[in-house]
Amino acid sequence: MSRSIPHLKSQFLQRLSEIVGEPGLVSDAQQKDDHDTDWLKKWHGRSCAVVRPASTQEVAQVMRLCHETRIPVVTQGGNTGMSGGATPDESGAQLILSTSRLRGIREVDPLNNTITAEAGVLLAHVQEAAQEVNRYFPLSLGSEGSCTIGGNLATNAGGVAVLRYGNTRDLALGLEVVLPDGRIWNGLRALRKDNTGYALRDLFIGSEGTLGVVTAAVLKLFPRPVARVAAWVGCDSMENLLALLALSRDTCGDRLVAFEMLTQASVDLIMQHITDARRPLANAHKFHALVELADTHENGLAEMLEGTLEQAMAAGYVEDAAVGLNIAQRQAFWKIREGISQAQVRAGKAIKHDIALPISKLPRFVADADAAVKKVKPDACIINFGHMGDGNLHFNVLMPLDTPPTEMSQTVKLLNRVVHDLVHQVNGSISAEHGVGQLRRDELRNYKSAVELDLMMQLKQSLDPNQIMNPGKLL
Amino acid sequence: MSRSIPHLKSQFLQRLSEIVGEPGLVSDAQQKDDHDTDWLKKWHGRSCAVVRPASTQEVAQVMRLCHETRIPVVTQGGNTGMSGGATPDESGAQLILSTSRLRGIREVDPLNNTITAEAGVLLAHVQEAAQEVNRYFPLSLGSEGSCTIGGNLATNAGGVAVLRYGNTRDLALGLEVVLPDGRIWNGLRALRKDNTGYALRDLFIGSEGTLGVVTAAVLKLFPRPVARVAAWVGCDSMENLLALLALSRDTCGDRLVAFEMLTQASVDLIMQHITDARRPLANAHKFHALVELADTHENGLAEMLEGTLEQAMAAGYVEDAAVGLNIAQRQAFWKIREGISQAQVRAGKAIKHDIALPISKLPRFVADADAAVKKVKPDACIINFGHMGDGNLHFNVLMPLDTPPTEMSQTVKLLNRVVHDLVHQVNGSISAEHGVGQLRRDELRNYKSAVELDLMMQLKQSLDPNQIMNPGKLL
């Protein structure tokens, strides 16, 4: 090969621009920088270019070019990920394929309860399109105003409604995917039942851009709840919180749509740092829960929640509770719960663990993990909260804002080992809803069995033999 | 190779018996014949032996032996499949691996709402184990007393509760699988959230024994409904039936657990052939539906169903309806619905189509398919019924019992083409819940895109390079 690398690069960019035209290539340096860095400013990469195809056909042409030239591709949605999965490495060799121009909602079918959306559609826009036809799309995350449905699918996003509606995987019926060699797989089926071969859809969902580019999806819609009530609850132990969860499931069934947990330390942190958040209960409690019921039927929901709480108090599970019947009261509860992210950012540097356990193992785990962390770091500020109804804890440790980087990285290693070892002992997950990305890639290898890693490698090798799809992530 | 084939076979059997012992090999000729033939007596095969390992370790040893000797393996559960997927070919070279001794329920965890069952556990036993801890396992099929959970997973079984609870895929959290080379993949995770790599679980579910042997699974349990009401409804058009379905979803939400459809011809056939079934409505109606609501809460369910039906009648969707409030009345409705299988067997030879469509396309499809079938076969007796709430129709044509085999097979080909072409036009599925097996293997190739077939072949090649897992099925 006699041509120089810069020449090849300019030839590649020339061919890219022939495919996507001028609006399809990001030329502004600041804009490119925004794509090269994640929103938390934690991961910094350098791409060779940022391409924004406007259609599935353009994505396919871009992928054919990358297949031919062996240019690695990092697919990027809203760039709101938590694990660096959509940030390129620093080599300057990887292409960012942004889905930001794949914004079409191709079909809304209220009778079939489905919506067909392109990968770059914002989650909030999917929710709105559902609401316009009196339906409900339940996926709900803090970043819903800026994350894309393609990113949700790539990471199998979780959120606050998993207890009732499942993860993104459970909400998808069909996919359209551009394969690493540029072929298009049209799996956009809007069917509740289809047993005609291997679950290709599920293979691409959660694969974090390492097997192909999701360009569109058929998503499930649900009956729209017209009534909601919520309660804020204080308990003296995880065991009692768990008993309340079980009782709520028994009595309220599918109406129980959220069961969020926060420790007193988490609530205190929110009260310190979120100015307009107000304490929901008069006294301190070791554990707090935000419990929400929803129904498609107006009547009886408040009575059901109150009855459940009375029963729980009589049984000694609950110390105190406040019921929020109107929108303002419910929103005030959610403001507290959602304030935890911002409070952590303001208060310190968080060492995060995004873990999931069998729900029955939560009380013992929390006791053990608290003790184990205190043993290696007696002054640790543990901020533990999460989606308890799904067994998903964000078991974080807050370090002072001025902690030097070397101390941070040492402590991260130390605490990851302590916490993740305990998770592994109860057959839990070290990446519940935030994905593996760059953040947990090495950690994953510590805990996955050799057989499972080998199976994943085989699949990767089979579908992406040239390893051009998001190299350095997940596996 | 100087040793004769009979010698090799006897050596193979000797090594098998060393692994599983005497009770692990079926020696009785009649018993072996029962495994070699499916329950419908439609598929007849001849295996080299039937092995019944008693543990995952024994399955692993059997698979290592088969890997080494390249003996093909047909995994068999309750042998209740509809598509010949668990029947060996007639070569005498394939080994049947029966899961009938993998009958352990390893764990029931009511707080985590999970049950861990081995592959050979009967579906009815999983349901009972759930009920014992006041939980509900919703998978429900006609064959639940004899089918196994392993078979349900292998075929991603559907049934009558998919509308609310999904297919078997949606009910599984974790799997244990013995791979074609005898390695064990332990994916028995009991987690609601786990984003640590590719969805291996979903790849094995629905793969009909062509990628590995499922030996155990963690399944989801649900709050147990304590109230149920049902109605039998008569409508004059599919459009009106669809309007009733949409209204029921809107008003009853998650309480709507079944919405089954039968045409008048289907109801008539049942009345003719099922002696103790009684007409649910006084007059004839073009379309009938069985609608069921369930709830974890006692009060208000009957009023909700009655209110919905009144609203539907006022809107002109429904001609007549009977509400079943007590168990006997509900069971009488289900007796009619479930009588259709037996009625078909008694009345003739059914040419079956197990199809799924977007629900919104059902009215047009039924009109078009009726017309297209009548065009090529003016005297066709069309028996159309199914799980309308999931878009799943069993669009069958009944032939006289004395139809000669050659005429049967010609008509099957003719009608398959007519019906499946129409299904394909609306992006439907030609195998909704019964699996592909031998029955629809060739048909599948007519309708799957080259890209999708190629992806499936790649995965098969990657996970089972020696092609020893259930050859001749699915792909």
Side-chain angles (χ1 to χ4, degrees), chain A residues 109 112 156 164 185 192-196 198 210 254-255 295 359-360 429 431 433 452 458 462, chain B residues 109 112 156 164 167 185 193-196 198 210 254-255 295 359-360 429 431 433 448 452 458 462:
Chain A
D109 183 345
N112 194 41
N156 185 25
R164 163 62 191 93
W185 171 54
R192 258 73 187 178
K193 286 182 174 177
D194 178 34
N195 283 331
T196 54
Y198 302 148
T210 64
D254 292 327
R255 297 170 188 84
D295 200 346
I359 293 166
S360 52
S429 172
S431 178
E433 61 172 4
E452 187 157 338
Q458 276 176 256
S462 173
Chain B
D109 184 344
N112 194 42
N156 185 27
R164 162 63 190 91
N167 299 284
W185 170 55
K193 285 183 175 177
D194 179 32
N195 283 332
T196 54
Y198 302 148
T210 63
D254 292 328
R255 296 170 189 83
D295 200 347
I359 293 167
S360 51
S429 172
S431 178
E433 60 171 3
K448 280 278 172 194
E452 187 157 339
Q458 275 176 258
S462 172

Side-chain angles (χ1 to χ4, degrees), chain A residues 289-312:
Chain A
L290 169 51
V291 184
E292 185 162 283
L293 306 187
D295 200 346
T296 53
H297 190 69
E298 292 279 0
N299 297 331
L301 205 59
E303 293 74 9
M304 180 176 279
L305 181 58
E306 284 162 351
T308 305
L309 291 173
E310 276 167 25
Q311 213 181 323

Side-chain angles (χ1 to χ4, degrees), chain A residues 88-108:
Chain A
D89 68 14
E90 292 173 321
S91 66
Q94 301 184 336
L95 174 71
I96 292 178
L97 190 161
S98 164
T99 61
S100 56
R101 289 169 80 212
L102 300 172
R103 288 265 164 124
I105 291 187
R106 296 193 192 164
E107 191 185 11
V108 184

Side-chain angles (χ1 to χ4, degrees), chain A residues 241-417:
Chain A
L241 207 52
L242 195 55
L244 173 65
L245 171 60
L247 178 69
S248 306
R249 293 261 299 178
D250 275 359
T251 55
C252 310
D254 292 327
R255 297 170 188 84
L256 182 67
V257 293
F259 196 101
E260 301 285 308
M261 184 278 284
L262 301 95
T263 56
Q264 184 64 43
S266 306
V267 173
D268 289 342
L269 195 79
I270 295 160
M271 295 307 141
Q272 263 177 282
H273 294 278
I274 307 297
T275 41
D276 48 353
R278 291 168 62 177
R279 278 192 197 277
L281 301 173
N283 299 314
H285 305 274
K286 280 191 182 161
F287 296 93
H288 295 243
L290 169 51
V291 184
E292 185 162 283
L293 306 187
D295 200 346
T296 53
H297 190 69
E298 292 279 0
N299 297 331
L301 205 59
E303 293 74 9
M304 180 176 279
L305 181 58
E306 284 162 351
T308 305
L309 291 173
E310 276 167 25
Q311 213 181 323
M313 278 183 168
Y317 304 152
V318 168
E319 292 183 322
D320 194 9
V323 175
L325 297 180
N326 61 40
I327 294 183
Q329 288 166 328
R330 278 198 302 109
Q331 283 178 342
F333 290 160
W334 280 105
K335 190 176 188 67
I336 302 170
R337 167 63 184 87
E338 285 167 358
I340 188 68
S341 304
Q342 196 57 45
Q344 286 182 103
V345 170
R346 289 180 185 160
K349 289 184 179 175
I351 298 175
K352 295 185 177 178
H353 304 96
D354 169 35
I355 61 184
L357 307 171
I359 293 166
S360 52
K361 313 278 192 212
L362 285 172
R364 177 66 186 272
F365 171 84
V366 170
D368 289 353
D370 278 355
V373 166
K374 294 279 185 190
K375 197 171 164 189
V376 299
K377 205 165 167 49
D379 59 341
C381 169
I382 298 173
I383 299 298
N384 180 12
F385 64 96
H387 317 292
M388 181 164 166
D390 320 316
N392 178 194
L393 296 184
H394 299 296
F395 189 91
N396 299 343
V397 174
L398 212 56
M399 304 283 286
L401 279 168
D402 57 359
T403 312
T406 48
E407 191 189 331
M408 269 307 284
S409 82
Q410 282 166 0
T411 317
V412 166
K413 275 185 194 153
L414 181 71
L415 294 184
N416 274 353
R417 193 61 51 248

Side-chain angles (χ1 to χ4, degrees), chain B residues 82-326:
Chain B
M82 304 293 280
S83 307
T87 306
D89 68 14
E90 292 173 322
S91 67
Q94 301 185 334
L95 175 70
I96 292 177
L97 191 161
S98 164
T99 60
S100 56
R101 289 170 79 213
L102 300 172
R103 288 265 164 124
I105 291 186
R106 295 191 193 165
E107 192 185 11
V108 184
D109 184 344
L111 281 176
N112 194 42
N113 285 298
T114 47
I115 182 169
T116 308
E118 294 182 350
V121 176
L122 298 182
L123 172 52
H125 290 167
V126 176
Q127 294 167 345
E128 285 160 20
Q131 198 160 348
E132 276 168 23
V133 295
N134 194 34
R135 295 290 183 275
Y136 180 58
F137 184 66
L139 188 66
S140 177
L141 323 171
S143 60
E144 60 198 27
S146 45
C147 67
T148 63
I149 200 68
N152 300 146
L153 288 158
T155 58
N156 185 27
V160 296
V162 173
L163 174 59
R164 162 63 190 91
Y165 295 98
N167 299 284
T168 306
R169 178 185 307 286
D170 304 292
L171 303 174
L173 289 175
L175 291 187
E176 178 186 81
V177 178
V178 175
L179 303 177
D181 60 8
R183 288 180 301 166
I184 299 168
W185 170 55
N186 181 349
L188 282 177
R189 291 187 279 269
L191 306 173
R192 258 74 187 178
K193 285 183 175 177
D194 179 32
N195 283 332
T196 54
Y198 302 148
L200 301 176
R201 173 191 70 200
D202 289 296
L203 195 54
F204 290 108
I205 294 174
S207 67
E208 303 191 12
T210 63
L211 298 178
V213 182
V214 173
T215 50
V218 182
L219 305 165
K220 289 183 197 168
L221 301 180
F222 291 81
R224 198 162 69 82
V226 296
R228 279 185 193 274
V229 292
W232 195 280
V233 174
C235 292
D236 65 353
S237 71
M238 274 296 268
E239 284 79 2
N240 279 334
L241 207 52
L242 195 55
L244 173 65
L245 171 61
L247 177 69
S248 306
R249 293 261 300 179
D250 274 359
T251 54
C252 310
D254 292 328
R255 296 170 189 83
L256 182 67
V257 292
F259 197 102
E260 300 285 307
M261 183 278 283
L262 302 95
T263 56
Q264 183 64 44
S266 307
V267 173
D268 289 341
L269 196 79
I270 295 161
M271 294 307 142
Q272 263 176 284
H273 293 278
I274 307 295
T275 42
D276 48 353
R278 291 168 61 178
R279 277 192 198 278
L281 300 173
N283 299 315
H285 305 275
K286 279 192 183 159
F287 296 93
H288 294 246
L290 169 51
V291 183
E292 185 163 283
L293 306 187
D295 200 347
T296 53
H297 191 69
E298 292 280 1
N299 297 332
L301 206 58
E303 293 74 10
M304 180 175 280
L305 182 57
E306 285 162 352
T308 305
L309 290 173
E310 276 166 27
Q311 212 182 323
M313 279 182 167
Y317 305 152
V318 168
E319 292 184 322
D320 194 7
V323 175
L325 297 179
N326 61 41

